[in-house]
Structures are given as structure tokens and as C-alpha cells.
Amino acid sequence: ETETEPEPAPRLEKAKEKVSTARAIKLIDALDLKSCDSDEGGCGVRLNVTHLIGGRTPDVFVLALTWETASADTRTVQQTLQNLDLQIDLATAFSRAADHGGVAGVDDAESCSDRTSFKYTDQKKSSLKYNLRCVLCYYGEHYCAFAVGDGEKSGDTEQGGGGGWTLFDDATTKPVGTWADVSKSCEKGRLQPCVLFYERDDGKGKSEK
């Protein structure tokens, strides 16, 4: 049988219009294909894999970005940063396993292909918001990090709110300011964000500890 080849993952810096980070995660996740394990009685056909939220969600959600080069130009760094959200909602990025336990439809599926069309409980009924707290960046083989202090807001990309961001660069630690200032620092130094750390929001504008 002919296997379906995965499509290229969306590129943040080339998005024609703003795509939320959570939506981008969902689009990329939909491209994940795995072969049904024939050693365990599976059919061997490559099928779409759906990652679900089950039970308590993590206190910290980590998102890794991949780059085609270790020395991206300023414009690429700028466009990528413009497509990163300071708050993401996992309810948009993922679906949740059925409330009654397990994944809806798995026990009733008669074949492997039946398991690609399940209807999952929609997560949108309960918001799962996370705020960006730390960004690990690199240029070439050099790494540094920007982090926002406890009790500080991540800020707004359009209005430049929140002034708690600090740069950690080897032995150097210095305040940066707003997220807009972080973006400018990354663009100036061509620093490429590679790992983003989001912390669960408690619903009162602060992150849980």
C-alpha cells in the first residue's frame, strides 16, 4: 500500500498572517504519522497520531523550536518572534481524553483505520492558559536565556507591557525590560529562541507555583 508522506511543518517566520502559537502546535501535531506496530498485531500502515490531554495538566509546558540554521538573519528572527504568543491555551492546542476514562472509541474500534476518526471530548469548555516565563536562545554555539521574575507579567507584544524580563548570559545578569525589549535584543544579536517555558496561569493573572 502507498504510505502517506508527512507535509512540511508550518514555518513561523513565513506565516502570511498571524497564527497563534497554540494553533501552530495543533497544525504541527496533525502532521505526526506513526506506523501501526505490526509486532503487536497492528496493520503496519502509517496513521495520524493524536496527542491528548489526560488527567492533570503539567505546571510547566515546554515548547521546542527547530531552526534550519544556527545563524539565522535578523529578519527571520524578527518574524519568528512576532509569531510567538506570551500566553497559550492548551485547550486550543490539544484535545482531551474522554472524561469517563481512556480514549473515546478505542475499545469499540474494529480495525486500526477506525482509530483515526474518533471524536474526542472538546477541551475548550475549560481554559488551560499558560504564560511565557523563560526563553532559551542561541546564536551559533552560544546560549543565553531571558526570564521574567516572580510576580511579574510576561508583557504584551503589541503594547510592550510588563517590565520584569532579565537576561542571563554566562556570568552576566542584567535587566532587559519589556517583552518588546527582549525582542529587540534578540533581533540585534540574532538570538534564535529554541526552548520556551510556559507556566500554568492560576486564572488571576499570576502563574501557579
Side-chain angles (χ1 to χ4, degrees):
E1 298 182 20
T2 303
E3 294 185 349
T4 303
E5 293 296 328
E7 298 178 6
R11 296 180 56 170
L12 292 178
E13 84 280 6
K14 288 193 173 183
K16 294 181 179 180
E17 57 185 45
K18 180 74 166 82
V19 177
S20 72
T21 302
R23 177 61 179 166
I25 293 172
K26 191 174 188 68
L27 291 173
I28 293 171
D29 194 48
L31 300 177
D32 194 8
L33 297 176
K34 300 289 185 182
S35 295
C36 186
D37 195 345
S38 57
D39 293 338
E40 299 295 331
C43 63
V45 174
R46 294 181 71 186
L47 304 170
N48 290 98
V49 176
T50 300
H51 297 98
L52 304 175
I53 296 175
R56 176 177 171 79
T57 53
D59 293 329
V60 176
F61 179 77
V62 181
L63 178 63
L65 304 181
T66 58
W67 293 76
E68 294 181 344
T69 175
S71 55
D73 58 50
T74 300
R75 180 171 175 77
T76 301
V77 172
Q78 179 187 53
Q79 292 176 330
T80 299
L81 288 165
Q82 290 175 347
N83 281 286
L84 292 179
D85 292 330
L86 299 181
Q87 186 179 81
I88 62 174
D89 192 340
L90 294 191
T92 300
F94 302 102
S95 297
R96 183 195 288 261
D99 294 336
H100 56 74
V103 179
V106 168
D107 295 334
D108 299 327
E110 297 181 357
S111 66
C112 297
S113 59
D114 292 337
R115 302 187 180 189
T116 63
S117 58
F118 296 151
K119 294 182 179 179
Y120 303 103
T121 302
D122 197 319
Q123 182 72 10
K124 289 185 178 179
K125 63 183 180 182
S126 59
S127 178
L128 294 174
K129 296 182 179 180
Y130 285 70
N131 298 317
L132 184 63
R133 306 298 291 179
C134 181
V135 181
L136 179 64
C137 301
Y138 76 100
Y139 174 75
E141 297 182 355
H142 180 75
Y143 286 80
C144 64
F146 296 90
V148 66
D150 291 343
E152 297 281 355
K153 294 183 179 180
S154 299
D156 186 278
T157 53
E158 295 181 356
Q159 300 179 9
W165 287 92
T166 300
L167 169 65
F168 298 88
D169 188 356
D170 292 334
T172 301
T173 301
K174 65 177 183 180
V176 177
T178 66
W179 174 251
D181 295 322
V182 172
S183 297
K184 290 178 182 177
S185 295
C186 290
E187 294 166 17
K188 182 178 179 179
R190 293 165 60 189
L191 300 174
Q192 301 167 226
C194 57
V195 184
L196 312 177
F197 297 86
Y198 289 86
E199 188 175 29
R200 183 205 303 275
D201 193 299
D202 65 358
K204 299 179 182 179
K206 298 181 180 180
S207 297
E208 293 184 356
K209 299 299 177 188

